[in-house]
Amino acid sequence: MASPNRNARSAVVLGRLLGIAFLICFGTGLYSHLLQDPLPGMHFATRPVRLYQFTQGLHITAGIAIIPLLLAKLNTVMPALAQDPPVRGALHLLERLSIAVFVSAAIVQVGTGLVNTFQWYPWPFPFRQVHFALSFVLIGSLAIHIGTKLPIIVRYWRARDSYDADGRFVHDDTVGSELPEYHGTGTYPRGITGRVMRWADGAEPRRASRPSPSGSSGAADGRRERIARRGFFTGVAAATAGVVVLTAGQSSKLAEPFNVFAPRKRGLGPNGLPVNRTARAAGVLATATAADWTLTVAGPAVTRTFSRAELVALGTAEAALPISCVEGWSQMARWKGVRMRDLLAAVQADPGSHVRVTSLERHGGYRIMDMGPEYASDPTTLVALELNGATLDLDHGFPARIIAPGRPGVLQTKWIERIEVLS
Ligand SMILES: Nc1nc2c(c(=O)[nH]1)N[C@H]1C(S)=C(S)[C@@H](COP(=O)(O)O)O[C@H]1N2
Ligand SMILES: [Mo]
């Protein structure tokens, strides 16, 4: 009986799924990156307000699904990795190099990304920049890989061309570098003991299933092969669905009851919302609780300062907006405060301005945040003072924080002290 998964058709089926997952990750990742580092003149959608919750949830979920799919794919093509001779010409070298680059980049990308969702950054380099650069290495080597494998992909794209009437996998020896077929027990070409994978050679019949080594009937052999294949793919599907369902609860309410693996749980934390960095960790305990705290709003001509009591008197606007962290957790919340555009009007600035917000935090990448006019003028963009019906907790940004629609959590600046109109 042939191996259930060590054939070109299985490699193509898994490759398709991986290709989709990598493209989802690339697209949603690019979107997330540009939201945080926009190119000049870029404008972003502010509706639906949960847009980023959706795209980033997709990013993390597809990234997690890649893990079992990649393991299954590596298992499927394992014999080809140990092939002999290792290189059979220039095109083959390119093909093998692109796979080596792709697999190692994928392991680093998915591994560091996964660790990152647990808010753990144990490396000395800036995660986002490295993740961004590596994504182009990944997509580039993936494109080369797909290009060099195109004949096999086309040939085995549809199931009905890959199996004979008995359900046995059918080899096509016209395809040059395809996977060897499982062929009994013995030694790998490179001296690895195990099941022998023989390379298709001219002696084998074209477009015909191999005769059964056990001598059993084709139909019985085909049935066993089908059952084994089904077992393999059911296992892969269960593993993939398992990791997705057991973590998606951090960004989707639907999957919430099954959230076993994801680091953040809904509804836990002050004001019923998880905290990403506490006031203590941010070093703002003293400045955020100081009685003389004020918010400065600097317009092109007029600058005003507001005490918290003055803001509370103005702060009657409400909005339902999620915190959607780049690390994959999201949660909807009810906010109350002063509209950004009303504060801009108070200093005679155009509501369609670029705005820079500064936090009380002295260090780190969250200290300064810029927002474009699409956010500054949006009626749901608030300087928030209340969260879920109570005063904003110190860990959620007291005395005041920013909340805006459709933006990553990193841009929802806490413990703010200054709003500056840029243009
Ligand atoms: N000043 C400041 N603002 C910040 C942060 C921070 O560390 N410092 N963390 C950001 C991140 S990464 C997220 S996800 C949200 C989380 O808000 P929460 O802790 O109120 O849930 O706050 C954002 N605002
Ligand atoms: Mo975050």
Side-chain angles (χ1 to χ4, degrees):
M1 186 183 83
S3 167
N5 67 306
R6 289 187 170 165
N7 54 56
R9 166 70 185 163
S10 299
V12 169
V13 168
L14 290 168
R16 278 196 313 229
L17 293 171
L18 277 166
I20 292 169
F22 274 109
L23 283 179
I24 289 175
C25 282
F26 186 66
T28 53
L30 205 57
Y31 179 61
S32 180
H33 185 86
L34 289 171
L35 280 170
Q36 295 170 68
D37 263 348
L39 300 175
M42 270 189 163
H43 281 250
F44 298 98
T46 56
R47 295 294 180 281
V49 297
R50 291 176 181 236
L51 181 59
Y52 186 76
Q53 168 170 5
F54 177 73
T55 63
Q56 192 63 5
L58 216 54
H59 184 81
I60 305 285
T61 307
I64 286 171
I66 283 174
I67 298 168
L69 291 174
L70 192 60
L71 290 174
K73 172 95 179 190
L74 285 173
N75 178 282
T76 292
V77 301
M78 189 89 82
L81 298 181
Q83 65 188 259
D84 194 35
V87 177
R88 300 191 308 268
L91 188 67
H92 190 229
L93 177 67
L94 175 68
E95 177 193 315
R96 299 215 75 194
L97 275 179
S98 71
I99 293 172
V101 169
F102 179 75
V103 172
S104 26
I107 290 171
V108 171
Q109 189 79 328
V110 172
T112 54
L114 184 71
V115 169
N116 183 193
T117 68
F118 288 85
Q119 213 191 15
W120 187 34
Y121 300 80
W123 33 77
F125 51 79
F127 174 79
R128 183 159 60 87
Q129 278 66 20
V130 172
H131 204 63
F132 178 67
L134 213 49
S135 73
F136 288 91
V137 175
L138 267 177
I139 290 298
S141 53
L142 180 60
I144 296 175
H145 178 55
I146 291 173
T148 57
K149 296 289 186 188
L150 211 51
I152 303 180
I153 296 170
V154 170
R155 174 69 190 78
Y156 293 104
W157 188 262
R158 293 186 311 177
R160 103 174 105 88
D161 293 340
S162 309
Y163 301 101
D164 67 11
D166 291 330
R168 282 182 300 183
F169 179 67
V170 176
H171 236 281
D172 182 351
D173 291 344
T174 58
V175 178
S177 55
E178 70 188 274
L179 282 170
E181 190 184 344
Y182 164 73
H183 230 253
T185 303
T187 311
Y188 274 111
R190 297 177 68 81
I192 304 163
T193 306
R195 290 161 173 179
V196 167
M197 309 289 161
R198 274 224 333 241
W199 286 97
D201 51 47
E204 302 292 341
R206 276 178 60 170
R207 294 284 291 123
S209 53
R210 294 169 193 277
S212 162
S214 59
S216 61
S217 82
D221 213 36
R223 201 162 43 245
R224 276 200 299 276
E225 215 182 294
R226 249 199 325 274
I227 291 169
R229 192 163 63 234
R230 209 168 288 157
F232 174 79
F233 278 99
T234 306
V236 173
T240 307
V243 292
V244 164
V245 167
L246 296 181
T247 48
Q250 65 178 339
S251 52
S252 149
K253 204 168 179 173
L254 221 63
E256 183 182 353
F258 315 108
N259 182 2
V260 178
F261 289 153
R264 307 304 194 308
K265 304 280 180 278
R266 279 162 183 276
L268 288 188
N271 297 123
L273 183 77
V275 168
N276 223 42
R277 189 134 65 114
T278 62
R280 178 181 297 278
V284 298
L285 277 183
T287 47
T289 55
D292 63 349
W293 174 87
T294 55
L295 175 67
T296 301
V297 184
V302 184
T303 294
R304 285 182 61 180
T305 59
F306 298 87
S307 70
R308 195 167 195 283
E310 284 168 330
L311 289 173
V312 168
L314 294 170
T316 54
E318 294 188 46
L321 296 176
I323 290 283
S324 311
C325 184
V326 292
E327 289 156 12
W329 67 275
S330 288
Q331 197 182 307
M332 201 64 183
R334 289 177 292 113
W335 309 88
K336 192 172 172 193
V338 191
R339 287 197 175 114
M340 178 63 84
R341 65 180 190 192
D342 292 346
L343 285 173
L344 296 184
V347 295
Q348 291 154 35
D350 184 347
S353 301
H354 283 268
V355 165
R356 172 163 295 173
V357 178
T358 310
S359 168
L360 290 169
E361 252 191 293
R362 290 283 77 112
H363 312 282
Y366 305 106
R367 185 175 136 70
I368 291 173
M369 176 276 286
D370 290 353
M371 67 165 66
E374 68 272 42
Y375 301 110
S377 60
D378 194 283
T380 66
T381 298
L382 305 181
V383 166
L385 308 163
E386 274 186 32
L387 167 54
N388 288 335
T391 299
L392 196 62
D393 190 272
L394 189 55
D395 286 339
H396 283 304
F398 179 91
R401 79 173 299 166
I402 296 294
I403 189 77
R407 300 193 98 191
V410 287
L411 301 176
Q412 312 283 26
T413 310
K414 307 198 273 193
W415 315 292
I416 64 173
E417 67 168 351
R418 184 180 170 83
I419 295 172
E420 193 183 334
V421 178
L422 295 178
S423 61

